[in-house]
Amino acid sequence: MGSTSQDIYINKQVFGDDFVWGVSAAALQIEGAFDAHGKGQSIWDVFSAKKGKILNGDLPHTSCDFYNEYKQDIDIVKQLNIPCFRFSISWPRILPNGSGEINQAGIDFYNRVINYCIEQGVEPWLTIYHWDLPQNLEIKGGWTNREIVDWFTNFATVCAQNFGDRVKHWMVMNEPGVFTGAGYFLGIHAPGRTGLKNFLPAIHHAVLCMAAGGKVLRELVPGAEIGTTFSCSYIEPHTDKPKDVAAAKRVDALLNRLFIEPVLGLGYPTEVAALKGIEKYKLPGDEELMKFDFDFIGVQNYTREIVKNSFFTPYVGASLVKAEKRGVPLTDMKWEVYPPSIYQMLKQFNGYPQIKKIYITENGAAFPDNVTDGEVDDPQRVAYLQQYLAQVLKARNEGLKVSGYFIWTLTDNFEWAEGYHPRFGLIYVDFETQQRIIKGSGHWYADFLSGN
């Protein structure tokens, strides 16, 4: 960034008083207490116990023990001047079998968290589904079974009835492109299924569930702001050759358009030939059932991808040119640090006139953090956040719809298949002792939000 851009970071005022600031987290990644007080098994409890599935054989069983340490962590949210805390509800914690009997101890836990947020002046933002499907439902087919629309509607109803009196900002689903793609096509995330026969029905049922969950919230939580979140990466072709350009368009359809467009009533982007097979899972009337008029869309962006034509890659005919082979700055996830990606994705989502409002519901970075003399200095993360925020501001100044920004994430946690290795948090967690240390980036965010 040029030196002149440093002025942007002096305070948050340049974004306007109505711009929303927050931090995001997810139940499975932070809570631990995997079998406490009647909680059922999730697909991640089962998947992570399988040899070789998670880096270093890590398990989410304890993680940062948010289940017991939630007051400490919410106190830090308040201390850092962060107005909004986005977290998710563990489906098997409140419905151990996925449906049927409600586990009151689970409901009580989330009521304690919500109430403590409100007591501390922190606004709770709830995500209904952040990837921890009850194992009992996976046994019945999980996202490949159309019955999940009923199961999910029931889950959303339980959440709305129990928490809707206090929670006014809701996200139905987190990144359906990732949990269907990584979990039901590539098999690298729970439940570890592969192939189009799992992927295509999972896509369609997730879309139906997004809309169904939105309708439940609209009916049961009057006045609530209802959204859902999408992962996205800015896609660029490796060269300007027509084959690479076409390959990039196919990857963009798969990564960035596959879930937002059917929800907006535009249908599935069938430029990817393999997606045409989704038609056989559609029933009469589904086109209407796939649609919901969300109050906002959550955009979650970290990086860009460079794509080239690849004759030998099945289904999509394209492959990614890995960031580590391109000589670009990388995070610990081997993702390219490319701040303009967030601006480009805001521009792309602003291209849909049906979208009313956009929040950045996740953005952040993992870097190798070390404790030195009781402190964690992470200048790379601070620079990353500043540079990406500058691009968000650019979008806002150009009149693009963007109304808020949430950092991923509050605490270092269980990063899915990568286990505890990548640290994304504003707070360093010693997973042996559960000690918390606010990193330099956490102090920077606190200063930024206080207007200093």
Side-chain angles (χ1 to χ4, degrees):
M1 306 301 290
S3 57
T4 52
S5 66
Q6 294 306 314
D7 297 344
I8 291 166
Y9 314 126
I10 294 166
N11 59 47
K12 63 176 186 182
Q13 268 58 24
V14 282
F15 287 85
D17 293 339
D18 57 347
F19 197 81
V20 176
W21 298 96
V23 66
S24 295
L28 187 280
Q29 294 181 267
I30 61 173
E31 285 178 3
F34 77 109
D35 60 355
H37 306 135
K39 178 186 169 288
Q41 276 196 319
S42 84
I43 52 173
W44 278 94
D45 295 324
V46 173
F47 183 76
S48 61
K50 291 179 181 170
K51 200 166 182 215
K53 298 296 184 188
I54 312 294
L55 187 68
N56 303 323
D58 290 342
L59 297 167
H61 290 4
T62 307
S63 189
C64 14
D65 197 24
F66 180 80
Y67 189 77
N68 294 302
E69 301 292 341
Y70 70 91
K71 284 189 176 177
Q72 178 185 186
D73 290 343
I74 293 164
D75 284 346
I76 297 175
V77 173
K78 181 186 182 181
Q79 183 188 336
L80 298 182
N81 308 314
I82 301 171
C84 302
F85 178 38
R86 174 188 169 219
F87 59 96
S88 72
I89 303 292
S90 164
W91 190 341
R93 196 176 292 289
I94 64 171
L95 291 160
N97 296 311
S99 58
E101 196 176 338
I102 295 171
N103 177 30
Q104 190 57 43
I107 300 286
D108 293 345
F109 166 66
Y110 292 110
N111 277 329
R112 289 195 297 273
V113 173
I114 291 163
N115 292 342
Y116 195 71
C117 281
I118 293 165
E119 275 174 40
Q120 299 306 309
V122 172
E123 183 82 27
W125 288 50
L126 274 193
T127 309
I128 293 180
Y129 183 73
H130 202 131
W131 305 5
D132 48 356
L133 186 73
Q135 176 65 16
N136 190 54
L137 299 184
E138 174 55 29
I139 291 164
K140 297 174 184 173
W143 287 99
T144 69
N145 184 343
R146 191 177 170 109
E147 280 185 60
I148 199 161
V149 181
D150 294 330
W151 302 331
F152 187 82
T153 300
N154 173 56
F155 172 41
T157 301
V158 172
C159 291
Q161 287 172 337
N162 283 279
F163 314 126
D165 58 329
R166 287 149 294 149
V167 177
K168 297 305 170 195
H169 304 275
W170 293 79
M171 284 138 285
V172 174
M173 202 170 269
N174 185 76
E175 297 187 339
V178 179
F179 76 74
T180 57
Y184 284 81
F185 183 62
L186 300 172
I188 53 173
H189 279 187
R193 295 190 187 214
T194 55
L196 282 182
K197 70 180 186 297
N198 290 306
F199 185 43
L200 295 177
I203 293 167
H204 186 52
H205 300 151
V207 168
L208 291 171
C209 285
M210 251 190 298
K215 286 165 193 160
V216 165
L217 291 168
R218 183 127 316 142
E219 183 189 339
L220 297 179
V221 194
E225 190 180 40
I226 302 162
T228 195
T229 81
F230 300 96
S231 52
C232 59
S233 295
Y234 179 49
I235 307 297
E236 288 191 272
H238 184 48
T239 70
D240 57 8
K241 290 178 187 162
K243 280 188 171 179
D244 283 349
V245 172
K249 283 188 173 156
R250 291 194 296 274
V251 171
D252 180 62
L254 207 54
L255 291 189
N256 298 330
R257 297 171 49 207
L258 180 54
F259 286 90
I260 182 65
E261 292 191 355
V263 168
L264 297 178
L266 304 171
Y268 292 109
T270 47
E271 292 91 321
V272 182
L275 289 177
K276 290 181 178 147
I278 213 163
E279 293 300 318
K280 75 176 185 189
Y281 299 100
K282 279 159 77 170
L283 299 182
D286 276 5
E287 292 297 337
E288 277 306 304
L289 294 175
M290 289 155 65
K291 288 194 294 197
F292 184 72
D293 185 19
F294 282 103
D295 299 315
F296 73 91
I297 295 303
V299 167
Q300 311 199 156
N301 173 264
Y302 294 88
T303 190
R304 73 166 170 174
E305 300 290 0
I306 304 295
V307 171
K308 64 180 179 183
N309 183 62
S310 171
F311 179 76
F312 296 105
T313 307
Y315 307 126
V316 72
S319 62
L320 304 180
V321 182
K322 288 185 175 178
E324 60 259 46
K325 291 186 175 167
R326 291 192 269 116
V328 293
L330 300 176
T331 71
D332 241 8
M333 296 290 285
K334 297 194 167 45
W335 296 344
E336 180 184 6
V337 177
Y338 187 73
S341 64
I342 205 164
Y343 166 79
Q344 294 291 353
M345 292 319 301
L346 283 168
K347 209 167 171 182
Q348 187 165 328
F349 275 82
N350 267 267
Y352 297 110
Q354 304 93 328
I355 294 176
K356 298 177 191 162
K357 187 189 271 194
I358 295 171
Y359 295 112
I360 300 290
T361 38
E362 284 186 23
N363 173 244
F367 290 110
D369 297 321
N370 297 297
V371 182
T372 308
D373 299 328
E375 294 187 349
V376 179
D377 192 24
D378 58 340
Q380 283 175 289
R381 185 173 290 105
V382 173
Y384 177 103
L385 295 171
Q386 289 176 338
Q387 290 165 9
Y388 276 69
L389 267 177
Q391 295 287 326
V392 175
L393 182 63
K394 177 184 175 186
R396 191 158 163 88
N397 286 343
E398 287 179 12
L400 298 179
K401 283 176 270 201
V402 57
S403 301
Y405 177 86
F406 287 68
I407 291 177
W408 183 268
T409 179
L410 180 62
T411 50
D412 293 336
N413 60 36
F414 180 79
E415 189 48 48
W416 309 111
E418 302 301 316
Y420 295 106
H421 168 69
R423 292 179 175 271
F424 275 88
L426 297 173
I427 302 168
Y428 182 94
V429 176
D430 181 324
F431 295 106
E432 298 293 313
T433 65
Q434 293 301 332
Q435 182 194 8
R436 270 72 165 151
I437 301 171
I438 299 169
K439 300 178 190 177
S441 55
H443 292 299
W444 166 79
Y445 199 35
D447 287 346
F448 175 85
L449 292 174
S450 71
N452 293 341

